[in-house]
Amino acid sequence: MKLVKSRLFWPAMALVTLLVVNIVVNPNFARITMRDGQLYGAMVDILRQSAPLMLVALGMTLVIATRGIDLSVGAIMAVSGAVALTIIDGSGDPDNVGTVAIAIGVAVLVSLVLGVWNGFLVSVLGIQPIIATLVLMLAGRGVALLITGGFITTVNSDPLSYIASGYLTLLPFAFFISVAVIAVIALLERRTALGMLTEAVGINPEASRLAGVRSRGIVWGAYIASGVLAGVAGIIYASNIKAADANAAGYLIELYAILAVVLGGTSLMGGKFSIAGTVIGVLTVQTLDSTILFFGVPSAQSPVFFAVVVIIVVLVQSPRVHAWGRKVGAMFRSSKETPRDGTPPGGATATSAPVATKPEHKEVSA
Amino acid sequence: MTAQTLEAPKTSSPGAIKQFAARHASVLPTLAAIVILVIVLIGAQVEFGNFLTARNMSALLLDNAYLMVLAVGMTFVIVTGGIDLSVGSVMAFTGILGSSMLASGTPVWIVIPAMLGGGAAIGTLIGVLVQYFNVQPFIASLAGLFLGRGLAYVVSLSSVRVENEGILWLQTTRFYLGDWYITPTGIIALLVVAIGAITMAWTRFGRTVYAIGGSEQSARLMGLSVARTKVAVYVISGLCGGLAGLLLTAYSGAGYPRNGIGTELDVIACVVIGGTLLTGGRGYVLGSMIGVFVFGTIKTIISFMGAEQSWTHIIVGALLLLFIVVQRAIVARSDRNT
């Protein structure tokens, strides 16, 4: 029962259900083959392809925890990819590891600056997060198009392709990037007081300020983190398609990232956040995407399914549906056993003092 | 700040200006938008010499008719304190729906209501989610965005040409007045603006919209029909999305499922530049029209200069930033005064 009440139970169940459906419909889905000491298979692909969304969603989790939202992540991805690939393209030797490293360094630095800008608008000027990040969302893609000169810059660079397609021993390199970022964020947020302070700022900015929390720095930091992670995600994306496409890079990713965060059980109202939940949410979104493709639906039509998922998720979270659920639960219980006021369905049997097991005690509570 | 005094000050002493500013704080952003529009137009005329021509100005309305219709719907939503991200994809969906129905031989008098109905249906869904299930407008309309875009591709994966004369008539007919001309699409857009402006200013419904944006709690305590109005603004926005789909289909002569990607952001930018406060409670439909003209003029100037169209979004982003900073200053000041 404790398991059921865990915040991660329902997100995890959704992912498991999705995986089971896939395996039942297509047994090949679960097959993982070993070739040259490297693992291949549909599930490995999901881990590899989920890397950009994972980074963006983790950054988004931090921002949402501070009661904010970052719409500019897709645009930052486009800028970052454009910067990195333009540098590599302009250099004489695209296969040089040093060149690629410098290009990535510059691109991440640019993303950091964009994150600082977002954070400045929100935490210093006090502009609503949706609008503050909307500015960059609009302008960012324009900037990216200017950097690439309006074209799709394509680059053939082995070190660059390695980031998205290469393998580090058993598993794809991109997967290790995800794991490293998850580990760093989990350590920073959960092994230090930072996570608690972030939640405090998100739950009640005014009270946390009065309690001496420097909310400005925490909010600012969240946007910087989101910017940097989006920058790295942009490089992975560019590396995957071996091109900087300012229009397609990170298209709608802000929405998928928000969806993943919400699926993972983090409320958009800020405050409590769950990194594990976001990880599960990202894997769910990615698996759903592959599932839709697998069922032969053109990928362009997949938003319909995501719309249905968003609607189901928000309905499950809404207070009205909870109230209905309780009503139905209460009716169900009162017809079967003694009504116990205030006890959640299926929980806390030990504390219910007036245990009446006789059916004659049946009465409907108001 | 719901009551607005309409008499304009006759004197122009500094005191009167200050008094005017204090009394009409909610009109100031819209006035600023008009000033910007005038500056941009004059600047372009000085730079190019042949910018302020009747042909050019007429084209401005023609090219941005669909944007104007969307901006009217968005103004209603934003004044209640909400947001509607779905308008671009609703426009794409209704556009491709209409053109496919026409291509399969459905008569126009069924197609146009179907387009408007499709938009209104998605709007209703968003409104119900927002009002009855306490879903944040951002997320509810996000679902609408996904739904519209996905459905557009379900209807057709590629563009569908429109050969119906009735629809194309909306675009090709030009009523001339000297060198100025206007198309039926332009007339529709202006009509929508007029209806929107009158509804917002002089009807009970419009007053309720402002009241909800000012304080939803107070509006409810006053006995206003908050629930109905909040659903209605999203239905109106969806309806405008459907109408914009019709105008865009007429304008481009085809339905295309990739139409309107990112249009929701352009629309929000136009509405904000036009002086509507994103926190709700203040804003004018006519202001949004000015916002659309500013946006359209910038776009025209950039194509005049032969520069990259990507500059449009950079400049509009910068303008948007300027306006929200100005708005914050105004709100901060009027909060101090009250």
Side-chain angles (χ1 to χ4, degrees), chain A residues 69 71 117 121 125-128 130-131 134-135 137-139 142-143 145-146 149-150 251-252 255-256 258 268-269 298 300-301 303-304 307 310-311 314-315 318-321 324, chain B residues 83 85 125 129 132-136 138-139 142-143 145-147 149-151 153-155 157 261 265-266 268-269 278-279 308 310-311 313-314 316-318 320-321 324-325 328:
Chain A
I69 204 147
L71 295 184
W117 165 255
L121 291 183
L125 296 188
I127 297 169
Q128 275 173 292
I130 290 191
I131 306 313
L134 179 64
V135 172
M137 185 185 190
L138 268 173
V143 172
L145 275 168
L146 283 187
Y251 167 61
L252 284 187
L255 306 182
Y256 286 109
I258 294 166
L268 280 168
M269 304 304 288
Q301 295 174 358
V304 175
V310 173
I311 291 171
V314 295
L315 285 184
S318 90
R320 183 174 286 248
V321 173
W324 287 346
Chain B
I83 201 154
L85 298 179
L125 173 76
L129 283 176
Y132 293 103
F133 294 96
N134 274 334
V135 181
Q136 289 179 356
F138 183 83
I139 298 298
L142 172 59
L145 184 157
F146 280 141
L147 192 65
R149 186 63 62 194
L151 287 176
Y153 283 111
V154 169
V155 173
L157 286 170
I261 288 179
L265 302 177
D266 295 344
I268 294 170
L278 274 152
T279 39
E308 296 266 352
S310 42
W311 276 106
H313 280 123
I314 298 176
V316 169
L320 185 66
L321 178 70
I324 46 186
V325 172
R328 267 214 56 87

Side-chain angles (χ1 to χ4, degrees), chain B residues 25 54 172 318-319:
Chain B
T172 48
L319 264 185

Side-chain angles (χ1 to χ4, degrees), chain B residues 232-253:
Chain B
V233 292
Y234 290 96
V235 177
I236 290 173
S237 181
L239 203 61
C240 287
L243 187 58
L246 175 67
L247 297 189
L248 189 64
T249 307
Y251 179 70
S252 56

Side-chain angles (χ1 to χ4, degrees), chain A residues 185-235:
Chain A
I185 290 185
L187 279 178
L188 271 179
E189 295 283 337
R190 293 304 182 203
R191 286 285 168 263
T192 71
L194 186 61
M196 195 191 67
L197 296 179
T198 306
E199 292 186 345
V201 170
I203 291 167
N204 191 333
E206 188 57 21
S208 58
R209 193 183 63 79
L210 292 175
V213 179
R214 287 210 199 117
S215 63
R216 177 174 290 181
I218 287 172
V219 172
W220 205 334
Y223 285 92
I224 295 174
S226 175
V228 169
L229 289 173
V232 178
I235 290 165

Side-chain angles (χ1 to χ4, degrees), chain A residues 51-332:
Chain A
L53 183 61
M54 184 72 81
L55 302 193
V56 170
L58 286 168
M60 190 70 80
T61 311
L62 301 182
V63 171
I64 287 180
T66 66
R67 273 199 190 179
I69 204 147
D70 188 350
L71 295 184
S72 67
V73 284
I76 295 181
M77 274 180 74
V79 171
S80 158
V83 168
L85 266 70
T86 307
I87 293 177
I88 296 175
D89 192 37
S91 76
D93 184 13
D95 282 332
N96 188 331
V97 179
T99 314
V100 173
I102 290 171
I104 292 174
V106 173
V108 172
L109 203 67
V110 170
S111 317
L112 184 132
V113 171
L114 295 179
V116 169
W117 165 255
N118 278 334
F120 172 77
L121 291 183
V122 173
S123 66
V124 179
L125 296 188
I127 297 169
Q128 275 173 292
I130 290 191
I131 306 313
T133 52
L134 179 64
V135 172
L136 202 50
M137 185 185 190
L138 268 173
R141 268 183 211 285
V143 172
L145 275 168
L146 283 187
I147 294 173
T148 59
F151 299 107
I152 297 176
T153 310
T154 49
V155 163
N156 277 319
S157 159
D158 288 338
L160 185 73
S161 331
Y162 177 77
I163 296 171
S165 327
Y167 271 71
L168 188 67
T169 66
L170 273 181
L171 290 163
F173 180 68
F175 171 66
F176 288 102
I177 299 180
S178 300
V179 172
V181 171
I182 295 167
V184 168
I185 290 185
L187 279 178
L188 271 179
E189 295 283 337
R190 293 304 182 203
R191 286 285 168 263
T192 71
L194 186 61
M196 195 191 67
L197 296 179
T198 306
E199 292 186 345
V201 170
I203 291 167
N204 191 333
E206 188 57 21
S208 58
R209 193 183 63 79
L210 292 175
V213 179
R214 287 210 199 117
S215 63
R216 177 174 290 181
I218 287 172
V219 172
W220 205 334
Y223 285 92
I224 295 174
S226 175
V228 169
L229 289 173
V232 178
I235 290 165
I236 299 176
Y237 180 87
S239 148
N240 195 27
I241 63 168
K242 299 186 179 66
D245 185 346
N247 282 315
Y251 167 61
L252 284 187
I253 200 165
E254 54 280 346
L255 306 182
Y256 286 109
I258 294 166
L259 174 61
V261 172
V262 174
L263 274 175
T266 300
S267 160
L268 280 168
M269 304 304 288
K272 293 272 177 205
F273 66 97
S274 165
I275 291 166
T278 298
V279 172
I280 293 175
V282 168
L283 293 177
T284 310
V285 169
Q286 195 69 48
T287 311
L288 186 60
D289 203 36
S290 324
T291 311
I292 294 167
L293 269 183
F294 172 73
F295 279 113
V297 179
S299 76
Q301 295 174 358
S302 68
V304 175
F305 294 85
F306 281 101
V308 173
V309 171
V310 173
I311 291 171
I312 292 174
V313 168
V314 295
L315 285 184
V316 166
Q317 284 189 354
S318 90
R320 183 174 286 248
V321 173
H322 283 188
W324 287 346
R326 273 196 296 277
K327 218 185 265 171
V328 171
M331 270 162 56
F332 188 68

